[in-house]
Structures are given as structure tokens and as C-alpha cells.
Amino acid sequence: MFVLTRKPGEKVVIGNEVTLTVVAVHGGRITLGIEAPARVHVVRGELLDRPDEPTIVWAPPPPEEPRDPPRR
């Protein structure tokens, strides 16, 4: 595990597409902002660890339908 110390406003970049920003720190809690493409699945870890809940299945969004160019 890679452990960092960050202050509010500071960022951590993962690869070329995911950015975590420390938004606020209140006592023992932090607020994170996550910037990632829609195809990157982001979920809180505790949701994946619940044995009584159904498994979360995720599929990327369908591709956009081609649009006709505007008529003049």
C-alpha cells in the first residue's frame, strides 16, 4: 500500500485519467473529490465487503447513438 499525507486542495493522480482531491479534513474524516472517466467504476470499499448484499455488477454505459448533422 502506498501511503501519502495530503492537505486540503492537494491532489493525487492515478495513471493519466483519475485524480483524487482532498476537499476537506474534519477530525478523523476526510472528504475526497474523484475525477474519473465514466468508464471507470468508483465504489466505496465497504459496499463491496457486505456479504448480505447482492454483488454489485457494473457495465460501461452504452455507446452514444450517432446523431444526424443539423439541417440547414
Side-chain angles (χ1 to χ4, degrees):
M1 177 185 303
F2 182 51
V3 179
L4 292 172
T5 302
R6 302 277 77 202
K7 296 177 184 176
E10 294 182 330
K11 300 176 186 239
V12 175
V13 178
I14 301 170
N16 294 324
E17 299 181 306
V18 178
T19 301
L20 305 176
T21 303
V22 178
V23 176
V25 179
H26 301 285
R29 298 184 68 147
I30 65 168
T31 304
L32 285 178
I34 303 168
E35 295 175 62
R39 70 180 183 283
V40 175
H41 183 78
V42 179
V43 64
R44 297 185 339 247
E46 67 272 14
L47 296 179
L48 297 174
D49 295 335
R50 290 181 168 178
D52 58 333
E53 294 291 326
T55 303
I56 297 171
V57 177
W58 180 83
E64 289 188 20
E65 293 291 323
R67 295 183 180 153
D68 293 330
R71 295 183 184 183
R72 294 183 178 207

